[in-house]
Amino acid sequence: MNVEIIMAVDYNFIIDSGFRREVYGLAGIHKAKDNSVKAMLSEPELFAEFLRNFIPVEILKDVAPSDIEDVSDRLLSLVSEQKDGDTIKRINLKDGKPLFVIAIVEHESKVNFRAPFKMLMYIALILDDYEKEANKKAGKKISYTKDFKYPPILPIIFYDGEDEWTAETNFLYRTEMHDIFEKYIPEFEYELVSLKDYSFTDLAKFGDMLSLFMMMDKLKTPEDLSNWGKLPKEYIHQLSEMNVPPHLLELLVKVITVLLRKIDVSQDEINKFVEKIDERGVSEMLTLENYSVQETRRAARAEADRERQKAENLLKSAIQSLLSKGNTVTEVADMMGVTERDVTNLLP
C-alpha cells in the first residue's frame, strides 16, 4: 500500500464558507482539549501519520488514509461512560484483514489508573460486535467453527498531561494475586504515547502535518511560544512549502483557536491571528514565536479606543442635530435611549 496525500488549498473556500464565524465561536470544539485532539485523530490523513510516527509496528507504515474507517459512533454509543476523546478505527490491512485501533485521549492533571480496565471493556465490545457481524455476513454462526479467528486490536493511550503517566500498561498487574492466577487473567498491554516525552525538535523530525498539530498541543503558556523560534530551518521550509487541503487548514485554525484561548489570549487577538492564517496558510503558523501577546493586546486596546471615540463622535453629532431642531434635553434623551446626564455630558 502506498500512502498518497494530494494537498491543494483554496483559501477563498475558507473565507467564503462562513467557517471563520464557526471557529471564532468555537462551535466546532466545545470541550476544548478532548475534542481538539479527537478532531486531529478523526482525520484519516493525520491518523495514518500518527500510526507511522508513534507506533513501532512495521505493517502500520503502509497504512493509507483510505484504509481507515472510523467506527466510533457505532461502537462507542453502546458504552455509557465513554469520553469525547475516545475513538475506534477499523483499518484494512493487506489481503483485506482488519485491525481495530482504540485510541483514548487522556489529559487530566491526575493519571487515570482505571485505563487498563477501560481498554478491556472496549476490546470486549469490539470482539463481540465483530463476531456478530461475521455471523450475520456468513448467514450462520461461523464464530462457532474451529477456523474462525478474531481480529487483532491495538490499544493506544495518547497522554498530553504534565505529570508522569504511572498507571499500569498491562491489565494483568491491575489484578489482585496476579502472580498466582496469571494463567487465568486477561493479559494485554496498551501502547502509551506521552506527548511530554517529545520535544519540539523531536516532533519536527517527523516533518508532517501531524507534528505541527502536536506542537500546538504542547503549548501551555504564552512563554511556550518561544519554542517555535528553535525549530530546525529544514522543518520550517518543509512545512512552508506544503500545500494543505482546506479541511486540514480548517482543523488547524480550530485547534490553534482553542489553544490560544487556553493561554488567555482574547478573542479579538485570536481573530486577527486567524485572519493571517487564512491569508498565508501554514507558513503563518511557523512565525508564531514572533506573536507577542502583550503587543497584540496593546494594539487591540488602541483599536477599541478608536472605535469608542468614533461612536462617541457620532452620538455627539446626533444629539447636536436633534437639539438644533428645537428638541429639549429630555426629549433627546428619550429618543437616543440615554439619560439626560449623558446628553449634557456630550454637549460642547
Side-chain angles (χ1 to χ4, degrees), residues 13 54 64 88 155 159 169 219 262:
F13 166 80
F54 296 103
I88 299 177
Y159 177 60
T169 57
L219 298 179
K262 184 181 70 174

Side-chain angles (χ1 to χ4, degrees), residues 37 41 83 85-87 102-106 112 115 118-119 122 155-159 165 191 193:
V37 176
L41 299 183
K83 295 198 313 178
D86 300 350
T87 184
I102 305 169
I104 294 178
V105 176
E106 294 285 354
N112 182 5
K118 188 176 184 182
M119 280 295 188
Y122 283 175
I156 304 170
I157 286 184
F158 175 78
Y159 177 60
W165 182 265
E191 190 72 35
V193 178

Side-chain angles (χ1 to χ4, degrees), residues 120 169-173 182-189:
L120 179 62
T169 57
N170 191 319
F171 181 76
L172 174 68
Y173 304 116
E182 178 177 358
K183 179 179 177 180
Y184 312 104
I185 300 171
E187 182 177 359
F188 68 90
E189 292 188 14

